[in-house]
Amino acid sequence: MAMTNNKTHCFTCNKDKITYPCDGCLKKFCLMDLTKHRQLLNEELNHIINDYDQFKQRFSEQKPSVHDLSLINEINQWEIDSIIKIQQKARDCRNIIIESSQTFLNDIDKKFNDLNEQIKQFRNENEFNEINLNYLRNELMKISEESNNPSTTSIQQDSQPFINEISVISLEKPKFKKWNQNAITMAGGNDKGYNLNQLNRPTGIFIDKKKNIFIADYENHRVVEWKCNAKEGQIIAGGNGRGNRMDQLKHPTDVVVDQKNHSIIIADSDNRRVIQWLNQRQQILIANIDCFGLAMDKYGFLYVSDWKKHEVRRWKMGEYNNEGIIVAGGNGQGNELNQLNNPTFIFVNEEQSVYVSDQNNHRVMKWRKNTKEGRVVAGGNLNYLLYPRGITIDNFGQIYVADFCGPRIMRWCEGKEDGEIVISGNSTKNKSNQLYGPMGLSFDDDGNLYIVARDNHRIEKFEIIL
């Protein structure tokens, strides 16, 4: 009987021997060559350990790069400049208090000296009676009371910082997001009408943290709130017919929610006023203004576009009894960089730069804080935009514009000449991938894009897919 042959080919020595497989490389080795193979693996492991130790040593000794050091130097300089500015402000405020106090003391001292002169005169001339004594006593009491009740001085903290804020931002390249081209109707969409499940030519919107939608329902002369995924809205302002009573609206164009007191601020356009509704109580904040768009920054400043004066003004919260401050336009109707032509919707970023939909110039302008003119950041040519309306900005500073006559939604990267289509209107019909008269724009916190399809009488949500 022949003995079974259990020998196979060794990968290294090329001879038929009893072999053993290596689970790593799946090759077979004789016992001697397997030992050598394991030695080679051990040597390779030692090389990896050596490389690791060297990298760890280099990493532990690594210092900030030249670029990082430059940024740190900038931060250090900002710290020094800010401290100097704060110290100077503190010195100025202390000097004001000291000067005010000294002026008060000098005034009291002068009154004491004048009274002393009168007392001396009475004594020297020895001509006085009860009337004179009562006069002296009353004057002394007045001066004494005045000295015990100095004029009150207080410190008022401005909600807008007077030092330049800085932040560290990532230089990550913008992510060119995409959205599903078939929209979900979030409000309206049941033909035009005044029922609670209908809208009539809506214009501006505001999306809160809970994804509730506040809608300026233009032809219904009301503002309605649609809770997230609700089948109908509820009237929260107006809805009492077209008119100029305090409880009425007339063609509202935009709405914002003041997050601090949960009040609703409305551009009541045809009544030429900006009005606040808080728990069904109304207050006119700004009167005699041809308002269209509204925005509120993180400091609580309110921004209003005036389409007739071709400007945007800013008001400090609670100080609406003045004319506000011009932050864009204000140099008459025109197409120069310091002018606007029928501004409509506006957007304000973290740095208080104002983006303006400059409708009749077919462009979007950006006005940085405290500048005298803006710069074109989207459009500027009939081939690019035609009567732009709603605008919003994403976290990368990319500009989204409702191209009203497109109809479509365009995206511009600041500094680029050309934009790109992100939502195609396709036509003026009623299908889920069609827009008719796009107006207001807004993102929710998840990056979904909400669009007012004015002439579809609905609010559309385009869900982000990338």
Side-chain angles (χ1 to χ4, degrees), residues 26 30 82 140 219 233 238 277 282 337 431:
L26 302 179
C30 66
S82 299
L140 182 59
E219 290 290 356
W277 284 59
Q282 304 86 32
L337 292 180
K431 293 182 179 179

Side-chain angles (χ1 to χ4, degrees), residues 142-257:
K142 285 181 184 179
I143 297 172
S144 177
E145 288 177 2
E146 188 175 344
S147 67
N148 292 327
N149 294 284
S151 58
T152 57
T153 306
S154 64
I155 294 174
Q156 178 180 359
Q157 294 192 15
D158 197 336
S159 60
Q160 186 179 19
F162 74 96
I163 62 170
N164 295 325
E165 290 189 353
I166 65 169
S167 58
V168 178
I169 59 173
S170 171
L171 297 179
E172 179 183 0
K173 292 182 179 179
K175 296 178 180 178
F176 294 99
K177 300 174 182 177
K178 294 182 180 180
W179 290 265
N180 192 323
Q181 296 297 299
N182 291 302
I184 300 171
T185 298
M186 301 302 293
N190 297 298
D191 295 325
K192 69 177 179 181
Y194 57 84
N195 294 321
L196 291 179
N197 68 340
Q198 294 177 305
L199 299 170
N200 192 348
R201 302 188 83 201
T203 308
I205 56 172
F206 182 92
I207 314 292
D208 70 9
K209 298 293 184 183
K210 297 179 180 179
K211 298 185 177 66
N212 301 320
I213 311 171
F214 298 79
I215 308 165
D217 195 6
Y218 185 81
E219 290 290 356
N220 281 328
H221 314 290
R222 66 189 184 185
V223 172
V224 292
E225 178 186 2
W226 285 62
K227 300 290 186 182
C228 183
N229 298 320
K231 298 300 181 183
E232 62 180 32
Q234 55 181 333
I235 300 170
I236 57 173
N240 298 305
R242 169 178 171 172
N244 60 5
R245 295 197 317 257
M246 289 293 287
D247 66 340
Q248 292 179 308
L249 299 172
K250 189 177 179 183
H251 289 138
T253 51
D254 208 1
V255 57
V256 295
V257 177

Side-chain angles (χ1 to χ4, degrees), residues 381-399:
N381 188 308
L382 289 176
N383 294 326
Y384 299 140
L385 291 174
L386 189 57
Y387 299 105
R389 299 297 174 88
I391 49 176
T392 191
I393 315 296
D394 69 12
N395 293 334
F396 294 103
Q398 297 173 118
I399 304 142

Side-chain angles (χ1 to χ4, degrees), residues 402-442:
D403 190 14
F404 183 76
C405 291
R408 58 193 180 177
I409 307 302
M410 302 283 290
R411 173 169 59 201
W412 249 270
C413 292
E414 189 172 334
K416 300 291 185 181
E417 290 187 4
D418 298 324
E420 61 176 327
I421 299 172
V422 294
I423 303 291
S424 177
N426 294 309
S427 70
T428 57
K429 303 298 181 181
N430 263 327
K431 293 182 179 179
S432 63
N433 65 343
Q434 295 170 328
L435 289 174
Y436 190 7
M439 294 288 283
L441 288 182
S442 184

